[in-house]
Amino acid sequence: MSDKIRKIEGITKESTQAMIDDALAAYPEKGRKKRAPHLAPNDAASGCASVKSNKKTVPGVMSARGCAYAGAKGVVWGPIRDMVHVSHGPVGCGWYSWGTRRNLMSGITGVNNFAMQFTSDFQEKDIVYGGDKKLAVLLREAKELFPLAKGISVLSECPVGLIGDDINSVAKASSKELDIPIIPCNCEGFRGVSQSLGHHISNDTIRDYIIETREFAEPSSPYDIALIGDYNIGGDVWSAKSLLEEIGLNVKSVWTGDGELEKIAATHTVKLNLIHCYRSMNYMCKVMEEKYGIPWLEFNFFGPTKIRESLRAIGARFDQTIQDKVEMTIAKYEPIMQAIIDEYKPRLDGKKVMLLVGGLRPRHTIGAYEDLGMDCVGSGYEFAHTDDYDRTAPEMPEATVVYDDPSEYEFEKFAHALKPDLIGSGIKEKYVFQKMGIPFRQMHSWDYSGPYHGYNGFEIFARDVDMAVNSPTWKLVKAPF
Amino acid sequence: MSDKIRKIEGITKESTQAMIDDALAAYPEKGRKKRAPHLAPNDAASGCASVKSNKKTVPGVMSARGCAYAGAKGVVWGPIRDMVHVSHGPVGCGWYSWGTRRNLMSGITGVNNFAMQFTSDFQEKDIVYGGDKKLAVLLREAKELFPLAKGISVLSECPVGLIGDDINSVAKASSKELDIPIIPCNCEGFRGVSQSLGHHISNDTIRDYIIETREFAEPSSPYDIALIGDYNIGGDVWSAKSLLEEIGLNVKSVWTGDGELEKIAATHTVKLNLIHCYRSMNYMCKVMEEKYGIPWLEFNFFGPTKIRESLRAIGARFDQTIQDKVEMTIAKYEPIMQAIIDEYKPRLDGKKVMLLVGGLRPRHTIGAYEDLGMDCVGSGYEFAHTDDYDRTAPEMPEATVVYDDPSEYEFEKFAHALKPDLIGSGIKEKYVFQKMGIPFRQMHSWDYSGPYHGYNGFEIFARDVDMAVNSPTWKLVKAPF
Amino acid sequence: MSNLLGLEVKKIVETTPEEVETVKNWINTEEYKEKNFARQALVINPAHACQPLGAQLVAHGFEGTLPFVHGSQGCASYYRSTLNRHFREPAPAVSDAMSEDGAVFGGQNNLHEGLENAVALYKPKMIAVFTSCMPEVIGDDLTAFIKNAKQKSVVPKELQIPYANTPSFNGTHIHGYDSMLVSILQTLTEGKQIEGRCTGKLNLIPGCDFNTGDYREYKRILKEFGVPYTILADIGDTFDSPCDGTYNIYAGGTKLDDAADSINGKATIAIGPYSTPKTFNWVKDNYSGKHVSMPMPMGIEKTDAFIMKVAELFGKEVPASLKNERGRAVDAVTDSHQYMHGKKFAVYGDPDYLTGYVSFLLEMGARPHHILCSRGSKKLEKELQALLDGSMYGKDCKIYMNKDLWHLRSLIMTDPVEAIIGDTHGKFAARDAGIPLFRFGFPVFDRVNKHRYPIIGYQGVVNMVTEICNKFIDIKDETCEDRYFEMMR
Amino acid sequence: MSNLLGLEVKKIVETTPEEVETVKNWINTEEYKEKNFARQALVINPAHACQPLGAQLVAHGFEGTLPFVHGSQGCASYYRSTLNRHFREPAPAVSDAMSEDGAVFGGQNNLHEGLENAVALYKPKMIAVFTSCMPEVIGDDLTAFIKNAKQKSVVPKELQIPYANTPSFNGTHIHGYDSMLVSILQTLTEGKQIEGRCTGKLNLIPGCDFNTGDYREYKRILKEFGVPYTILADIGDTFDSPCDGTYNIYAGGTKLDDAADSINGKATIAIGPYSTPKTFNWVKDNYSGKHVSMPMPMGIEKTDAFIMKVAELFGKEVPASLKNERGRAVDAVTDSHQYMHGKKFAVYGDPDYLTGYVSFLLEMGARPHHILCSRGSKKLEKELQALLDGSMYGKDCKIYMNKDLWHLRSLIMTDPVEAIIGDTHGKFAARDAGIPLFRFGFPVFDRVNKHRYPIIGYQGVVNMVTEICNKFIDIKDETCEDRYFEMMR
């Protein structure tokens, strides 16, 4: 699909730019100047970003962005199931991110998975006298109470970096004392522009503290791969992994959905890194390529079209046995997918969707919507960089609006203008648009449904999109009096 | 207890009679004349009824009585688990008595127990043209749909007797045709004065159609007994049966709680009939004594005192092995009972209870209340006869009021006068007295609790009585403004 | 052989576990369903009571009115205990205890003695007489009996004694409701119509509704509208009275004067066409003002219709508070549609409840897969089918008239659904099928306070959506594997 | 060795099922409980959030008010998403996105740019500024910053910008609520006190209450009383607004003029002493009329106290409608006491909710066996102990201050109870213990509409009794043997 340039009736560069200007009109001078470069009509053919990105958030505009801690604890570390993740600082950050990202985990909570909220609960005295002593005590308590934990992460919240604590040395000392990997991550929320720096700091921390400290017990095989950048939202990893195994590959470790510390540590021995969320994990793919010669391949498991493309691209990196299995798998699932499309497409054909998600899905899910006959009339990221926007240009129809870190004001204005049949974004946006009678699906958390990755994911995705767009409840919104 | 005559402070023959007269004052002349003989102070020493009973209900006074159908279907037939009981007539009677009596049953509903609502659902045309043809079809359908049923009862509702149907001959013919016992019971609701005639007709029906049609497969033993007049309210039979087995007896059949038709039919071979509810089943005890020489013994499993007396009386009918087991059982449970009394009696000592139940419990449960230190200040039956009231006199304290088939007006007046701490009666009375802030326990259905029979029953009974009397919720009834 | 059956004495043969297992599986099969649906005579687990119960409900809806069963005393105790168990409230009613002699000589003596005693003991402002089987079969002439009672001054001349023939052998409790209501209104309004007089009030007939919360909801809605009203047969207080240390035998009910004056009302809305046909026809011919018959306002659309009709009849704008309330209900509906969308339900109950359940479910995108009424009609079937045809979610839903809950069991065991909407009697089928039962109907014996939470109106929508969605989520939390047990739902 | 830890490369050793089984049982033991309670530094599953969340709740309670987080943008998104998930409603708030440069130069530039943009885009009537960690650690002087903003006319002079220091490293969200509320009231009432003027109104401060149903219930009660009122920080509509096709960013809140004039009120009742101490002390010293601080009116007795205080403050009789409502609540309580009597509960939550839960349970004859507050105080402990001492059902109940939900798990696994009253976060402990969780507190992410059903007032009692009793009966129906499965409960 991404080769042919699609057009949306009524949407031109001019109409989009006019819509953008109308939105920018409300800004004070300085704000408008900062925001303008981040909003633009898509140039499908160019294959490169039509907007600026990864810039400091403009104060006071109601951005959807989170912080570095959210990128570190929420995105990268949280999903690793067999580690105790300590939110180091006051009680809030860990509490707000407790279980809200839906990175599901196998195992028994508190025994061999630690889907819980650990914190040093900084009080005034910790700010004044520093938290390092408390950290050391805390690490001992964690080790004692959770003996099956394979490691402990110490994830810094804002105050830690401001009061000059040295969690790196505490981690080092305690790691030796307790004979367990203790990983310090300086992901203070005030650092950087968004969650993105949190991903980057975490990738570096894996590079410095984890990779190459373990080896797989079983002998390696030519089909060993690692699934990078899948966080098991609603079970996505379980769906993607079973599909990769069906085409004959051994998924030796997953970064980091339902992740296991030791398998992440032994990933330097795989043959190929398959990366789904480019934004959050491209750093370590590049490191593993440089240091261990592991090639990496971006792939897309949203919707039958993209799945087919990806399976074949993956197959091409392996021998005939894998490629045969790829074709068998495609042949097996395509009729099922076609049946799904036949059931839902008639009710979704030509419907318009607008997306605003984090760093991957604003482009990666467009294929799945198009498989159902829907058109993406606007998309944008909270924390993407230029390389993301480059990849987005061919995925979106010509001249449709691209918005980088849009304010709620801008997003509302665009929605009023474009009148989408569905908006895919986050919990902070959901009820704003549902009040307007616009159907909505959370595309961060799959609105507590999923998985959406892989073939069984598409079945659930299609059902949910049809449910949202065609629910009779929307017909009740307009009162008859 | 029943030998020593108890007195209640402030209650004399005169005070009770005054209270009665005050209640009767509201009646018209004719009503008063009919009601007066049914209300009297108890003459504990006389050992005989102080009131008239088993008379036609006075119209319009709001009696608590039910009808013959209720006595037949509700009390006797309903609890037999492996028969299909057909409420023959319009839809109401069967529907109102569907599952409301709490005669619990083992087995799988619709497979080998039939705790359901079967009816011929008489329409106008069945009144006009008679229901016999419909009955025959219905019996075939029941046999086909419920192959494991051991028998079918046909329980007449009012219209059947008025339109001259002949269910006896239909039953006879169908029984042969379908090779299954089909038992007709002419318990039309308008017959007799209360549920009592329904018991009697049902006992006669067992005499004429069931007893002696089966034999136990296993050889008889000297310890074979039948448990008569226990309907497994809230599991009473299971509690009583386990206690009787603990003292070495074989409970060969139960009339009719969790009852099995064939075992009832083979009861003519037991050594002793133990009867709990004298009123509903004394008829067949007398028949079995006359026809099969089976002695029978009234016993009382309410509260440790009565249980001890009963176990010893039962033991006396058997050899030393049984009597030793009786003593061992008493020794085993009495400490447990004492612990219960120690826990609850301090909070119940001296509290006053008034009772109005069916045909047994107004006298039979007094012992259990007294074991907890409570005093019965008034009792009476819906449908007892003179022989019941004879048995009641020694159980109640001197001069306390005895009321036969009291109207709601009389019962309220007595409650206002006596100010009981607890009233034990039925669902029709419960909320009347709770509105007055008087704690209440349903003593027909154990207020959906139980069992109350036997040693484990007393534990539940004591807990429930304490809960009702001492619930802090009653302190909320009086508003502070 | 001493028994009349002439059967030889057999040894007891216990049913074997294998036999039990075979039959246990057999009753869940298509084959059994065919046999079950082939029944002509045997009714098993019917989901309705008989006429007099509905008559007693009406009687309880009028100030100082004592329900009086002309017939067997057992009937009165059955109606009383049923209402006690559903409302967990007193339900005072008397009978004149007809028995064998009544069968021979008729029930006049019983009636007279009963009236005399009832008046003396319970000092009613009105006695509503209705009949159970006996007098109906033997054909007692109540008009005459009551006239004679007054002539013989057994009861005061001016005491109003409306009566209704409520034979148990046709229709159900909703028809008894209708007959008693029309008779009471005829009696109370006799000679009260005054040319040109208009009370300016809305007469609201709630129909055979066993939910006290609904009565309070109608009153709250009309109060928001500023429309003065008289509820005809108001059990809202009778069956939801305070516990404050005193027992008041007549704890509420429509004031008799208001009921009398209702004939001069500005407009009358009769809710629940299946339980008020006679009443509505009589009101149409005798009451001044406008007359409308409407379905129970369950779900947003039917509540809109009710609200707009009140606005239209009284020429009033819909108040902001009610518009706001509608918006909040739609908010609850859109916010939780994902928990009900596409879910299959079996629904059964009285006709007026059924049309409400089906509209509500279709509105939510849920599917009323099995719709069953144990005493339905062609008219009801047509109305339900029209609702189904109006929505894609009604597609493969089926309607079963005059079928019972044993039929329903066969349906859900052979063609499974995710939940049942009904009343306590459905709990056995729900347990066998392992699905939840939502107790919005009558009777509810095994839960507390269900009758206090309205199912009509916008608040009714929020109550039903909340109970259904939260139960489905409860089940998900209680049955999912550990790895799918999570914070967010 | 390329990693910094200097650990030699080990083979992966999978945890064995036996090890998992051992530890699985070990964490339920008394021994583990001792270790768990010996914790000094590690907090696990705490049951409270940080101060700014409470400040944001207050800000949403005022007309046209935009909550403004001075600090990191991530905090604002966390507070917003938490409120979104609990209320299933929008929660508009901005931050001035402080980052590394803020750490060095302070946040003035961010604040000014933020205020300017916020005013331009969202046209608030008031901006309520509160702080997250960064400005608190580096010591930003917000008084000066805001004064400079007005001087540099970054924002209109007359725009009211109250602010509060809400450091996350002490107290919880209820203390942030208090600080922000007192600051807003000080700002709005500045210069508004007029000698001798009395609005005749009751100022009601609901305290840190996340249940929109409670706000509606307070209003309904005061309307029944005929007492004019101003709710101070009214989120009743903001977080329960209609879905009617339009998005209104400021969907409700206390009118600013009313709040300003509240200083001249006839009386002020501050509900929830633990979440309004600063506010109440300031009100006492500055507001005219009488001032009373009262606990959350949960349960009959505490609701009686609230009703009588309103009656006393306004010299009014308690209206018949409320007396009647009390009677109906007592009726519900007495009719279902058997389902709760003697049952053991574990309860946790904010202090003001806890005193309410404990009173309600003791009133019902139930036993609040484990009482836990993850940020409690000596004062709270004393008040709770006094409640326990006042009832025989409080006998062997214990209070745990400053303990978390991992402590609670040890308690209920070693000393079992029949249910937990708390919020969504308790679901993991409840699942391990196999007992139901009643979600009366905050936050509730995994059920719908819990916040719409009041838990205060007489209706609150009926709601809690209904949910608890019906769940216990559900469990009985779902777990009993076939032979105990019956119609009646």
Side-chain angles (χ1 to χ4, degrees), chain D residues 62-254:
Chain D
F62 287 90
E63 173 201 17
T65 300
L66 183 65
F68 188 109
V69 180
H70 179 55
S72 156
Q73 74 215 21
C75 308
S77 291
Y78 271 152
Y79 312 145
R80 292 182 64 199
S81 54
T82 300
L83 295 173
N84 296 139
R85 291 180 179 122
H86 175 74
F87 292 112
R88 296 188 191 240
E89 289 282 297
V94 296
S95 80
D96 54 13
M98 286 174 66
S99 60
E100 289 96 341
D101 47 23
V104 176
F105 308 107
Q108 174 157 261
N109 293 348
N110 292 65
L111 182 73
H112 289 183
E113 202 180 327
L115 287 173
E116 192 190 16
N117 286 331
V119 166
L121 294 184
Y122 302 108
K123 301 182 177 36
K125 287 188 177 151
M126 177 165 79
I127 298 186
V129 179
F130 48 97
T131 52
S132 61
C133 287
M134 253 190 84
E136 285 301 323
V137 173
I138 61 174
D140 271 0
D141 174 355
L142 280 169
T143 315
F145 287 3
I146 292 172
K147 209 157 96 293
N148 300 345
K150 294 217 168 172
Q151 262 149 15
K152 284 164 53 191
S153 62
V154 160
V155 285
K157 286 270 169 312
E158 69 294 353
L159 178 64
Q160 294 174 304
I161 308 180
Y163 86 89
N165 291 95
T166 52
S168 302
F169 37 80
N170 70 46
T172 73
H173 52 277
I174 67 171
H175 304 98
Y177 179 92
D178 196 13
S179 302
M180 191 76 248
L181 179 59
V182 69
S183 161
I184 286 179
L185 294 182
Q186 286 165 344
T187 305
L188 292 176
T189 61
E190 218 186 314
K192 292 287 182 348
Q193 186 150 43
I194 301 155
E195 257 320 298
R197 166 166 167 68
C198 172
T199 63
K201 286 167 125 183
L202 168 69
N203 300 320
L204 184 80
I205 301 174
C208 191
D209 184 342
F210 291 90
N211 180 313
T212 54
D214 286 347
Y215 292 77
R216 289 189 196 287
E217 197 60 11
Y218 285 124
K219 291 177 195 172
R220 193 179 61 78
I221 290 170
L222 294 173
K223 211 167 136 205
E224 288 295 323
F225 253 112
V227 165
Y229 58 83
T230 298
I231 307 282
L232 292 173
D234 179 2
I235 57 146
D237 289 313
T238 338
F239 284 129
D240 185 12
S241 67
C243 171
D244 56 13
T246 58
Y247 169 57
N248 173 353
I249 182 168
Y250 305 112
T254 307

